[in-house]
Amino acid sequence: MPSRRYVQGWGALSLAVGAVLVTTAAAQDPAPGRAAVAAPGPALLTVGTCSVTGGLCRVPRTTVSLDAPVPVELPGVATGPVDLALRTPGRLTDVTVTDRRGRRIAGRAGGDGTRWTSDVPLPAGGAYTARLVLEEDRPGGVRRRILRLAVRTAKAPEGERLTVAFGPGEGAPGRTYGVGQPVTAQLSHPVPAAEPGARRIVERALEVRSEPRAEGAWHWVDADTLHYRPRVYWPSGATVRVRSGLDGARVTDRLHGGRSRPLTFTTGSRVEAVTDVAAHEMRVYRDGRLLRVIPVTTGKPGFRTRVGTKVVLGKESTVRMRGDSIGIARGSREFYDLKVRWATRVTWSGEYLHAAPWSLDAQGSEDVSHGCTGMSTEAARWLFRTVREGDLVRVVHGYGEPMTPFGNGYGDWNLGWPDWLRGSALGVRPARPGSDGSPLRPAL
């Protein structure tokens, strides 16, 4: 009979376990001439989940004997990570839970070897297998048994589906970006800050892994946009894989996760273009090695170049620049309408690093632009061919406004790490030994 024991809430899960079937290794007949050993008593385990609201859990836990294949039904309203707890003497020395594709479900042990809890909700409509190694103190020594659970989760009910579009770009395999490129996640439905539990479900399900590994975190830009960045820049030559584990997960009463296309990209060398406004020069580095020093001109009074760290958004070999695009009226003294070559874009509002042959006399000595960084045609062409999307552009010792973190390109790196973590619904959490940031890890 299912117990009516209640526990404290664990977090969020869209889970309805259909049947839990339990098997154990068949007892062996004693060898001829050897006395039979008394069989151990039944091992009992409770299986449960709780809702996202916290407080007292209203979903009863189900107790099952691990020595008999008794099917167990858990209520479809169960909405928390799976929790397995041993209820008889002994200890679980190893728990491995995998999905039908053999991928390991991350979890954590607790209770001095008597409990295991999954890190995240299991998607609906899935099949999972748990392998448990149980050790029991018996007369004559320790007895070790291997037990298995077969778990199925019910399909999510019909309703709205929350999907995610990841960036940068299409993320085609083999596409290479700079080490400053943030990962973006555009949600199909808003998840407001007033629903912190739902935000935690979403954030836990958005998985980012890099090889080599890099510590990182998500930051909620607004109700339907998140950015992910490492604490420090991505390693050079890294492979970054991004996927959503929301499919089938219950986010709110009316919203369940749907399928989303994963993203994979690689990073190139660490390329940085550092413009020193006071010195009127740009220094370009690759992996810390100085490649070139370029005389430049930046924004004059009234049009100062933004200071701080920016990320290359794209490149255009020819672009038409007009003063009215930044609020300069036609017919005014400051108005311009020019075709500009070798333009590297760093803000959506129109800040570029580009060829400016009309200001050669000022480059290296004076600020005469309307906010862009101008240089010779030859230098601009070289820079255009040297940098890629995601590379870093820093402006130092300047007089302009600071680059905003969001809304005008990728100013993510202008937030310190503590401020970045404050934008996470999960808060500041220590990294677990051996964790790669992914709730689903390939089986070893």
Side-chain angles (χ1 to χ4, degrees), residues 96-105 122-130 151-152 207 209 241-245 247 259-262 264 438 440-444:
T96 303
V97 181
T98 55
D99 65 9
R100 57 164 54 98
R101 294 171 57 187
R103 295 179 302 177
R104 186 176 301 173
I105 308 301
L122 299 183
Y128 307 89
T129 300
V151 181
R152 290 186 179 275
E207 307 161 20
R209 292 185 292 172
R241 295 181 175 89
V242 189
R243 70 177 295 272
S244 169
D247 190 19
R259 292 185 179 181
S260 302
R261 180 178 298 178
T264 300
S438 171
L440 290 177
R441 294 198 292 263
L444 300 177

Side-chain angles (χ1 to χ4, degrees), residues 20-149:
V20 181
L21 304 179
V22 187
T23 62
T24 186
Q28 300 293 322
D29 292 333
R34 185 176 300 176
V37 178
L44 301 180
L45 188 81
T46 59
V47 183
T49 65
C50 277
S51 66
V52 302
T53 55
L56 192 64
C57 177
R58 299 302 177 185
V59 179
R61 300 174 64 88
T62 301
T63 300
V64 58
S65 171
L66 292 175
D67 299 271
V70 179
V72 177
E73 296 282 343
L74 290 184
V77 295
T79 58
V82 173
D83 178 50
L84 308 177
L86 188 65
R87 293 305 179 195
T88 48
R91 53 200 166 272
L92 298 172
T93 59
D94 184 61
V95 178
T96 303
V97 181
T98 55
D99 65 9
R100 57 164 54 98
R101 294 171 57 187
R103 295 179 302 177
R104 186 176 301 173
I105 308 301
R108 59 190 183 278
D112 295 326
T114 62
R115 166 169 269 139
W116 182 91
T117 307
S118 65
D119 283 352
V120 296
L122 299 183
Y128 307 89
T129 300
R131 179 184 181 274
L132 304 94
V133 178
L134 173 64
E135 287 188 355
E136 301 168 295
D137 295 321
R138 308 289 296 172
V142 175
R143 182 182 179 90
R144 183 172 180 267
R145 290 194 278 170
I146 297 176
L147 312 164
R148 286 181 173 83
L149 299 172

